[in-house]
Amino acid sequence: MPFALSILDLATVSRGQTARDSFQNSVALAQAAERNGYRRVWYAEHHNMRSIASSATSVLIGHVANHTESIRLGAGGIMLPNHSPLVIAEQFGTLESLFPGRIDLGLGRAPGSDQKTLYALRRDPSTADNFPRDVLELQGFLSGDSRVAGVQAVPRAETVVPLYILGSSLFGAQLAAHLGLPYAFASHFAPDALHEAVAVYRDTFKPSEQLAEPYVMAGINVFAADSHDEAVEQKTIAYRARARAMIARGPAAGDFTDEEIDAFLASPNGRQLSGMTRYTATGTPAEVRTYLEEFATSIGADELITAHHASDIEDRLRSVELTGQALAAHSDVSASI
């Protein structure tokens, strides 16, 4: 079954690098994606995470768009409860005006942060309950059919900024279906409800002005290399680093040897962390292609959002290149949703 291929770039700040290095890497990654037939690159809003530099998501999108030619770029996603719909409409109306036909807006309702950061964002946790209403308000601003009397988003682009609902539970699936919007499931780090959520989305979908039929997108981790062993080594290094980062956010912060990290990942708590990256394609281009095809078929995915996690930027670029080339004959990149 044909499917489109895209990328989620976490704008990773590797050890010994700066945020500026990360942004240069993001430009290189998007340029590689553009050369190798990917449909879009998305950036996610995270806060108070030293290893992720995409907190000012719309600014990063604009920077990368200015250094690419045609690939779609967007948020995967903006955590809407952190913002007023008007401000996001203004930001993405500006981006679409500058780069017409290239800007996406994916929306999530999670905070993208911890409880202390919620306070620093001046966010009331209960605002997540207003997410459906805020999505409609934002949609109105972007379309010029404002739901707030006497208020318009300026600038408003002449071309459409498509909306996507992101989620990792049945709530997002139901909302996307009700609004007739594409649904992107965060299976690259929260895989448990994937199949049930996709089924609910397809079964309850209502056509809308933006979308006539359900459109399913799913996140998946990828380590593609010239040899199987090389890909496995990259995965091991990257997931050890991820475990260290997760531990460092809790009370057990400190330096841990590789052996200690491996022991933790084999423990009950560690297995839970490992389970978050259950869907990971690792190996040669042929092995990665087979894994992605089987994964896409299992949920009837229209598009896969690949997250390439190799610690070294050259390895990430190679993974993007190899995956794109391997899927070129199997992916549908002709249309745009």
Side-chain angles (χ1 to χ4, degrees), residues 29-324:
L29 199 72
Q31 290 172 339
E34 192 169 61
R35 289 193 303 269
N36 288 280
Y38 289 77
R39 177 173 292 178
R40 69 185 97 239
V41 181
W42 278 0
Y43 308 91
E45 176 188 346
H46 291 281
H47 299 282
N48 196 31
M49 296 184 183
R50 293 182 179 181
S51 61
I52 297 178
S54 53
S55 53
T57 315
S58 59
V59 178
L60 179 57
I61 292 168
H63 174 66
V64 177
N66 200 44
H67 289 83
T68 50
E69 299 294 333
S70 59
I71 194 166
R72 297 193 66 88
L73 301 163
I78 289 292
M79 301 298 107
L80 191 54
N82 292 345
H83 314 274
S84 75
L86 176 61
V87 168
I88 297 303
E90 291 169 341
Q91 291 177 2
F92 281 79
T94 299
L95 286 168
E96 181 66 22
S97 297
L98 290 168
F99 308 101
R102 296 184 57 199
I103 302 301
D104 301 330
L105 178 49
L107 302 169
R109 67 172 182 144
S113 56
D114 54 32
Q115 291 298 315
K116 291 182 179 179
T117 311
L118 280 181
Y119 171 78
L121 288 167
R122 300 297 189 265
R123 176 187 165 184
D124 181 346
S126 67
T127 56
D129 298 335
N130 299 326
F131 181 62
R133 185 192 68 190
D134 287 347
V135 171
L136 290 173
E137 187 175 311
L138 173 59
Q139 194 172 43
F141 285 135
L142 289 171
S143 66
D145 187 18
S146 175
R147 291 172 173 258
V148 181
V151 179
Q152 299 291 332
V154 180
R156 184 174 73 84
E158 296 180 4
T159 44
V160 174
V161 179
L163 297 184
Y164 306 76
I165 299 297
L166 281 59
S168 57
S169 68
L170 301 188
F171 177 87
Q174 293 166 338
L175 179 62
H178 178 73
L179 297 179
L181 295 175
Y183 180 52
F185 192 92
S187 38
H188 60 295
F189 76 91
D192 291 347
L194 171 63
H195 291 81
E196 185 179 6
V198 169
V200 167
Y201 171 67
R202 290 192 182 280
D203 290 344
T204 60
F205 180 84
K206 298 178 181 179
S208 68
E209 185 175 344
Q210 178 176 331
L211 193 62
E213 297 178 348
Y215 191 84
V216 173
M217 309 163 77
I220 186 166
N221 306 293
V222 176
F223 296 87
D226 293 293
S227 74
H228 177 84
D229 290 346
E230 185 180 357
V232 170
E233 182 179 7
Q234 291 174 12
K235 173 185 172 181
T236 300
I237 292 171
Y239 283 173
R240 280 173 178 161
R242 181 174 180 271
R244 283 189 177 93
M246 296 294 288
I247 294 171
R249 296 177 62 191
D255 291 330
F256 297 90
T257 66
D258 289 346
E259 291 74 17
E260 288 171 331
I261 290 296
D262 291 342
F264 167 72
L265 291 173
S267 69
N269 288 337
R271 284 195 295 270
Q272 183 179 10
L273 178 62
S274 297
M276 294 170 65
T277 53
R278 178 190 315 162
Y279 295 121
T280 299
T282 308
T284 64
E287 290 172 322
V288 167
R289 182 188 66 216
T290 298
Y291 190 102
L292 295 182
E293 289 176 339
E294 291 177 351
F295 175 75
T297 299
S298 73
I299 55 171
D302 299 288
E303 184 170 345
L304 297 185
I305 309 291
T306 60
H308 300 258
H309 293 301
S311 298
D312 186 86
I313 180 57
E314 295 303 325
D315 291 334
R316 289 204 298 278
L317 292 173
R318 185 61 174 155
S319 183
V320 166
E321 178 184 24
L322 292 175
T323 303

